[in-house]
Amino acid sequence: MIIYLLERSSFSKLSFMTESDLKSIYFNSKSTSINLTYYMLHQEKADSDDSDILKTLNPPLPSCSLSHTHSHTLLLLHLSTIFHCFHIIKHKLSSLSTFYLQQQQPKKMDILMNFLPISSKKALLFIILLFCMVSTPLKAVVKSTVSSSSSSSAASSDQRDLITYFKSTRTLLPNPINIPLQNQSRTSKINLFTSSSLDCSSTWNQECSNEILKIAHKKEHVHWIKSIRRKIHEHPELAFQEYQTSKIVRQELNKLEISYKFPMATTGIRAVIGSGQPPFVALRADMDALPIQEAVEWEHKSKIDGKMHACGHDAHVAMLLGAARILKAREKNLKGTVILIFQPAEEAGNGAKSMIKDGALENVEAIFAAHVSHQHPTGVIGSTRGALLAGCGFFRAVINGKTGQASSPHHSIDTLLAASAAVISLQSIVSRESDPLDSQVVSVTSFNGGDSLDVIPETVTLSGTFRAFSRTNFYQLLKRIREVFTEQASVYRCTATVDFFEDNDTIYPPTVNDERMYEHVKKVARDLVGTTNFKVVPPMMGAEDFSFYSEVIPAAFFYIGIRNETLGSIHTGHSPHFMIDEDVLPIGAATHAAIAERYLYEYGS
């Protein structure tokens, strides 16, 4: 039967195949079967659905088994497709043929081919192709053979089996080959992380969170995000000097074909992913380093003397870029627009204000940000509703009097006495004027008078900081500090001026989490890392310029743990020994991405 079809029918077109082609197909039989099946589904029957395929069979094909009475119908269906593919096979496998002939002992194959007559070669080729077309795809679908005595009443069920067979072949098609990122087209970049056909734009469930976390933990993605963080860590830059860091961010955004606005606030970037339509949700990362000499000895230690990423901002940038990569791959699921804010000068206190002034929050309805924390084990996420970080301000008071000999104090106006009384009086602001349940701090940190042993100085300068968890209490502290210095100075016949550096934007308001946004973070975090790995944390007296965003729109700030005693990741921020456990990076990227995507799902139209 086979030889008859090969010799007598239109299938004699096999004669165009060379011996080299036959060898190539032999050695590549598995990939050939996949190519043929793919071609049959998407080329030969491109305009037909599954039912149309069945209609071409007369009588209807009850089973995919070759032992069935009508099994020749399936045979003919395969054969009718094979020869439409030969020209494609010949060209696609030509290069592979050369390789295999060089590597896989071609002499043995030559002997076999020379021994067989021409018709036998054709038969051998057909058997190889038929085996690959039928046995390989059918393994997952057809495990039993329908005997030739099957009744005609099973025809409809058998037709469904055939449909299942054709659909099953789709799962055998390999994923797109991942080539280096810089050489990828936009399509291949997106396919790089498309792990399933799960549609999270219409229904959000645990599987959506799991898929985002799975993408973030892909080996290639983890390697990439670590390399970004290390590159930034090696070249730390201070506030408003983040030129190299900003360049790295823009290069990665360009590779991902993510549009952005630059510059903002000198070195800042505002990137956009999604539909371009409301709602708009923002994610923020700070980029600046600190004037600290790194004391950690490792391969990627800071290469800039006196500068170090000692607060984890390099990790923040890497995590947000990781989130950008995930969100771009899942852009079809976004029911709105995600804004990525890469902000300069958090440590200087005015980076956020400058970004807002330049339009970073245009159309944005809510904003989220994370900070690494050595107080929590790696991957543990923590936050709280309401005030999370204190408002922070600094002051410098100058008290002026009249210098004189210490042996004749009545001829002087003693500035040291006035300054000392002011320090004592400042302590009563918190202890006697504020609610004991509402934490506040006023601390004098420097006291500088004269350096003579027998002269009362004409001027004394004092400086310090103050903190509070509400905007009202914060500015009440500011008012009372000014009053205490000026009034106490006047009691001792001195004068005083107080500078709060307001013109230098060193006042941070409290960072207050909007209740709805906090609940959103908690919900997302529990789905990603588990309920036991989300912690409700107490407020801290530290400060963050993210607070400027939280004053404008609903916001939520959260911590993500980096503590790993084995690695030595135990030191607080702003320490020369500060380091992070890089296993946090994919978790942080996934958390950012899930927060944004799920926000758009829940608040989008």
Side-chain angles (χ1 to χ4, degrees):
M1 172 66 176
I2 293 172
I3 296 176
Y4 174 80
L5 289 173
L6 291 173
E7 297 285 2
R8 306 292 296 177
S9 72
S10 61
F11 305 151
S12 61
K13 295 176 183 177
L14 258 174
S15 60
F16 84 91
M17 297 292 285
T18 66
E19 185 169 293
S20 177
D21 293 328
L22 296 176
K23 295 175 185 177
S24 177
I25 292 172
Y26 175 83
F27 286 118
N28 296 281
S29 58
K30 184 173 182 180
S31 61
T32 302
S33 69
I34 294 173
N35 286 332
L36 290 175
T37 305
Y38 183 88
Y39 185 86
M40 179 177 65
L41 290 174
H42 297 282
Q43 296 293 126
E44 181 69 15
K45 295 297 178 181
D47 297 326
S48 303
D49 57 18
D50 295 330
S51 60
D52 291 333
I53 294 175
L54 293 177
K55 290 175 183 177
T56 65
L57 305 180
N58 188 18
L61 181 64
S63 172
C64 292
S65 170
L66 292 180
S67 65
H68 193 273
T69 302
H70 301 295
S71 62
H72 66 275
T73 308
L74 177 61
L75 175 66
L76 292 175
L77 181 59
H78 283 304
L79 291 174
S80 67
T81 307
I82 290 171
F83 294 98
H84 287 284
C85 302
F86 272 148
H87 286 286
I88 296 174
I89 298 169
K90 184 176 181 181
H91 291 293
K92 285 189 175 181
L93 298 182
S94 60
S95 59
L96 290 174
S97 174
T98 302
F99 172 79
Y100 280 110
L101 286 174
Q102 293 173 350
Q103 301 293 329
Q104 309 232 4
Q105 299 179 342
K107 291 183 179 180
K108 294 182 180 180
M109 194 61 195
D110 289 339
I111 295 171
L112 176 62
M113 285 300 179
N114 291 331
F115 176 78
L116 295 173
I118 298 300
S119 59
S120 298
K121 293 177 185 178
K122 295 178 180 179
L124 176 61
L125 170 64
F126 174 76
I127 291 170
I128 292 171
L129 295 175
L130 185 61
F131 174 81
C132 297
M133 289 287 291
V134 177
S135 66
T136 303
L138 292 179
K139 286 178 183 177
V141 183
V142 181
K143 295 184 179 180
S144 62
T145 300
V146 181
S147 67
S148 59
S149 60
S150 299
S151 63
S152 60
S153 63
S156 61
S157 174
D158 294 335
Q159 290 179 359
R160 287 192 297 270
D161 289 340
L162 183 61
I163 294 174
T164 304
Y165 159 67
F166 281 113
K167 289 181 176 178
S168 71
T169 61
R170 297 186 179 99
T171 65
L172 298 175
L173 300 177
N175 291 328
I177 297 174
N178 294 328
I179 59 178
L181 185 62
Q182 60 269 24
N183 296 326
Q184 287 181 317
S185 66
R186 181 180 181 183
T187 301
S188 62
K189 287 177 203 166
I190 295 174
N191 285 342
L192 181 64
F193 295 121
T194 304
S195 57
S196 77
S197 59
L198 184 65
D199 181 9
C200 297
S201 61
S202 57
T203 302
W204 189 278
N205 51 40
Q206 182 64 51
E207 292 183 5
C208 297
S209 298
N210 293 343
E211 183 174 278
I212 291 175
L213 195 60
K214 181 180 178 181
I215 291 171
H217 277 106
K218 285 188 177 235
K219 183 177 180 180
E220 190 275 341
H221 184 258
V222 173
H223 174 77
W224 172 82
I225 196 172
K226 286 183 178 180
S227 69
I228 294 294
R229 183 255 164 174
R230 292 170 180 178
K231 190 183 303 183
I232 295 173
H233 188 87
E234 290 178 349
H235 298 90
E237 298 168 300
L238 302 182
F240 294 117
Q241 301 173 17
E242 308 93 338
Y243 298 105
Q244 179 66 21
T245 305
S246 180
K247 182 179 179 181
I248 292 171
V249 172
R250 298 195 309 275
Q251 287 173 341
E252 296 303 323
L253 293 176
N254 288 335
K255 291 176 184 178
L256 294 171
E257 297 184 0
I258 296 174
S259 61
Y260 58 84
K261 180 180 178 181
F262 170 83
M264 301 181 73
T266 308
T267 57
I269 302 164
R270 183 186 193 266
V272 180
I273 305 174
S275 66
Q277 301 298 319
F280 288 76
V281 62
L283 304 171
R284 170 269 204 173
D286 38 16
M287 302 189 294
D288 55 326
L290 288 162
I292 295 174
Q293 181 65 43
E294 182 168 6
V296 181
E297 296 297 334
W298 68 304
E299 183 181 358
H300 301 282
K301 180 180 179 179
S302 170
K303 295 181 178 180
I304 311 298
D305 287 341
K307 298 178 184 179
M308 176 191 176
H309 273 290
C311 201
H313 296 187
D314 52 342
H316 300 168
V317 174
M319 289 189 290
L320 189 54
L321 279 174
R325 211 173 187 212
I326 296 171
L327 290 167
K328 185 63 178 179
R330 297 173 56 81
E331 196 169 26
K332 64 181 178 63
N333 290 317
L334 302 182
K335 299 176 67 176
T337 307
V338 180
I339 304 298
L340 308 176
I341 297 175
F342 296 91
Q343 175 207 307
E346 187 277 329
E347 301 292 355
N350 51 3
K353 290 181 70 173
S354 299
M355 289 293 286
I356 294 171
K357 182 179 179 181
D358 285 355
L361 295 185
E362 181 180 357
N363 297 322
V364 175
E365 301 174 9
I367 187 170
F368 302 87
H371 202 296
V372 293
S373 171
H374 71 287
Q375 294 186 351
H376 307 287
T378 299
V380 171
I381 296 172
S383 190
T384 194
R385 62 170 48 88
L388 177 64
L389 291 166
C392 170
F394 301 92
F395 62 84
R396 181 173 60 201
V398 178
I399 298 177
N400 294 291
K402 181 181 177 182
T403 187
Q405 291 295 317
S407 58
S408 303
H410 58 288
H411 294 304
S412 67
I413 299 177
D414 195 339
T415 52
L416 288 172
L417 184 59
S420 299
V423 171
I424 298 299
S425 297
L426 286 174
Q427 307 312 305
S428 67
I429 296 176
V430 173
S431 64
R432 314 317 301 169
E433 299 179 20
S434 65
D435 185 342
L437 301 179
D438 184 5
S439 299
Q440 299 175 32
V441 168
V442 176
S443 294
V444 176
T445 57
S446 70
F447 191 119
N448 297 309
D451 56 5
S452 176
L453 297 178
D454 62 349
V455 176
I456 295 173
E458 183 177 6
T459 300
V460 172
T461 301
L462 304 94
S463 58
T465 184
F466 60 103
R467 312 286 172 105
F469 282 112
S470 74
R471 186 177 178 85
T472 300
N473 290 339
F474 180 82
Y475 283 100
Q476 176 65 17
L477 282 180
L478 185 151
K479 174 186 174 184
R480 291 292 293 128
I481 291 170
R482 188 190 305 275
E483 290 174 350
V484 165
F485 275 117
T486 56
E487 297 301 326
Q488 282 291 349
S490 66
V491 169
Y492 294 91
R493 300 178 296 149
C494 295
T495 60
T497 58
V498 186
D499 184 5
F500 291 98
F501 309 102
E502 293 171 281
D503 293 338
N504 296 328
D505 298 311
T506 58
I507 289 181
Y508 294 68
T511 301
V512 180
N513 282 341
D514 177 85
E515 184 168 352
R516 287 188 310 144
M517 299 306 105
Y518 160 74
E519 291 294 336
H520 181 72
V521 169
K522 181 172 73 172
K523 178 170 50 182
V524 170
R526 286 180 170 179
D527 279 355
L528 281 175
V529 299
T531 55
T532 59
N533 288 321
F534 177 84
K535 305 295 183 182
V536 178
V537 299
M540 292 177 59
M541 280 294 176
E544 242 281 354
D545 84 340
F546 183 77
S547 56
F548 291 105
Y549 300 114
S550 69
E551 284 193 315
V552 179
I553 56 175
F557 193 79
F558 59 97
Y559 304 117
I560 183 163
I562 56 170
R563 187 175 185 84
N564 185 326
E565 295 182 4
T566 302
L567 295 178
S569 179
I570 57 175
H571 299 282
T572 184
H574 295 222
S575 163
H577 301 283
F578 178 84
M579 63 179 297
I580 73 166
D581 179 358
E582 289 185 325
D583 286 346
V584 75
L585 298 177
I587 300 173
T591 305
H592 281 85
I595 284 174
E597 183 178 331
R598 191 164 179 178
Y599 178 91
L600 296 180
Y601 167 76
E602 294 182 357
Y603 292 91
S605 57

